[in-house]
């Protein structure tokens, strides 16, 4: 039988609907609620890439974390947290204050929101390396450097020796899991780190600074779903 335009349109609509339903089912299956134990998750890499979301240690403050399999270690104090099959967090040889990643993440936000960044402008808070590109909006990206050094302070960002005050940066965003976009003047720069790069801390510190400058010291402008960064 000959296929009419109407038949073809109906088939395409059914295909789109089926794909949308499939995508929704996949998303539901991939979603993990990091605030409760609601199932068993068997894997040898449960803690992998947690460092993309976590950068504060409850024992020593700002820190770099490293994940290995099911364990997550603070490189500053050396404490290791185990990520269990039920998503519960357990300190290895010590009591860990947060039962789940969600509570830890909430504490991290509260920690940053309580900082006086005006006293954190001389010594670096974090160092990272990344690839640097300029984003031509709605067109393309132009690679500038394969390796740049990022240094974060309480009021500015040092990008490979060029200092940008937070006052001259109009916005900072996280794109995907390991990309940081910087909106400076009429330029958009993108820093792409390794798979373990934590771009989130740049956004959080930047917004904390802006809140203080605007007299909104108790404001919280940065709430992100944890799983979007893992």
């Amino acid at each position: 039988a000959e296929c009419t335009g109407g038949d073809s349109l109906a088939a395409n609509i059914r295909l789109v609907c089926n794909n949308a339903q499939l995508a929704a089912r996949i998303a539901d299956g991939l979603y993990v609620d990091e605030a409760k134990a609601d199932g068993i998750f068997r894997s040898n890499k449960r803690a992998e890439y947690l460092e993309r979301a976590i950068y504060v240690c409850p024992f020593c403050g700002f820190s770099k974390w490293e994940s290995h399999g099911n364990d997550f270690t603070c490189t500053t104090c050396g404490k290791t947290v185990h990520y269990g099959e039920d998503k519960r967090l357990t300190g290895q040889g010590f009591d860990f204050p947060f039962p789940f990643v969600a509570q830890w993440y909430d504490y991290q936000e509260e920690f940053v929101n309580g900082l006086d960044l005006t006293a954190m402008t001389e010594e670096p808070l974090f160092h990272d390396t990344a690839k640097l590109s300029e984003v031509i909006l709605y067109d393309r990206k132009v690679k500038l450097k394969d390796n740049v050094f990022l240094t974060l302070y309480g009021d500015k960002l040092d990008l490979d020796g060029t200092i940008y005050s937070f006052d001259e940066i109009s916005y900072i965003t996280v794109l995907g899991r390991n990309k940081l976009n910087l909106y400076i003047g009429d330029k958009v720069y993108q820093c792409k780190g390794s798979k373990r790069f934590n771009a989130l801390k740049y956004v959080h510190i930047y917004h904390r600074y802006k809140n203080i400058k605007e007299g909104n010291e108790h404001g919280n402008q940065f709430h992100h779903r944890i799983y979007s960064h893992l």
Side-chain angles (χ1 to χ4, degrees), residues 72-213:
F72 197 43
T73 301
C74 173
T75 61
T76 303
C77 65
K79 286 183 169 60
T80 295
V81 179
H82 181 74
Y83 188 111
E85 290 185 345
D86 61 354
K87 298 181 291 182
R88 293 184 186 275
L89 302 176
T90 307
Q92 302 299 283
F94 64 96
D95 291 331
F96 192 65
F98 311 114
F100 299 100
V101 173
Q103 285 83 9
W104 190 355
Y105 189 84
D106 289 343
Y107 165 82
Q108 178 172 271
E109 288 195 343
E110 293 172 3
F111 177 88
V112 174
N113 273 329
L115 293 175
D116 177 12
L117 293 182
T118 61
M120 300 180 174
T121 61
E122 299 299 324
E123 296 296 324
L125 302 178
F126 288 100
H127 298 279
D128 287 292
T129 58
K131 296 178 181 178
L132 179 65
S133 300
E134 181 180 349
V135 179
I136 312 299
L137 292 178
Y138 311 112
D139 190 353
R140 67 191 188 280
K141 283 193 298 185
V142 178
K143 184 171 70 174
L144 300 178
K145 289 186 178 181
D146 284 327
N147 192 51
V148 296
F149 293 95
L150 289 81
T151 305
L152 179 63
Y153 296 83
D155 64 339
K156 57 186 172 289
L157 175 64
D158 182 334
L159 186 59
D160 219 30
T162 301
I163 306 295
Y164 295 102
S165 164
F166 285 161
D167 292 324
E168 59 184 309
I169 299 177
S170 57
Y171 214 69
I172 297 180
T173 62
V174 175
L175 183 67
R177 295 172 177 173
N178 63 334
K179 298 173 186 174
L180 184 72
N181 275 17
L182 307 170
Y183 296 78
I184 305 172
D186 61 349
K187 303 286 188 182
V188 180
Y189 298 104
Q190 184 175 102
C191 301
K192 182 179 180 181
S194 70
K195 291 182 178 181
R196 300 180 185 276
F197 174 57
N198 185 313
L200 207 56
K201 60 182 180 282
Y202 291 87
V203 176
H204 287 181
I205 296 298
Y206 171 79
H207 280 303
R208 174 58 181 163
Y209 173 85
K210 290 293 188 179
N211 284 343
I212 294 174
K213 287 281 289 187

Side-chain angles (χ1 to χ4, degrees), residues 8-23:
S8 177
L9 176 61
N12 285 335
I13 291 175
R14 286 195 297 272
L15 178 61
V16 170
C17 290
N18 288 338
N19 286 344
Q21 292 169 356
L22 176 61

Side-chain angles (χ1 to χ4, degrees), residues 209-225:
Y209 173 85
K210 290 293 188 179
N211 284 343
I212 294 174
K213 287 281 289 187
E214 294 168 4
N216 185 24
E217 294 192 22
H218 302 292
N220 182 355
Q221 298 181 10
F222 51 83
H223 186 74
H224 298 80
R225 288 185 176 182

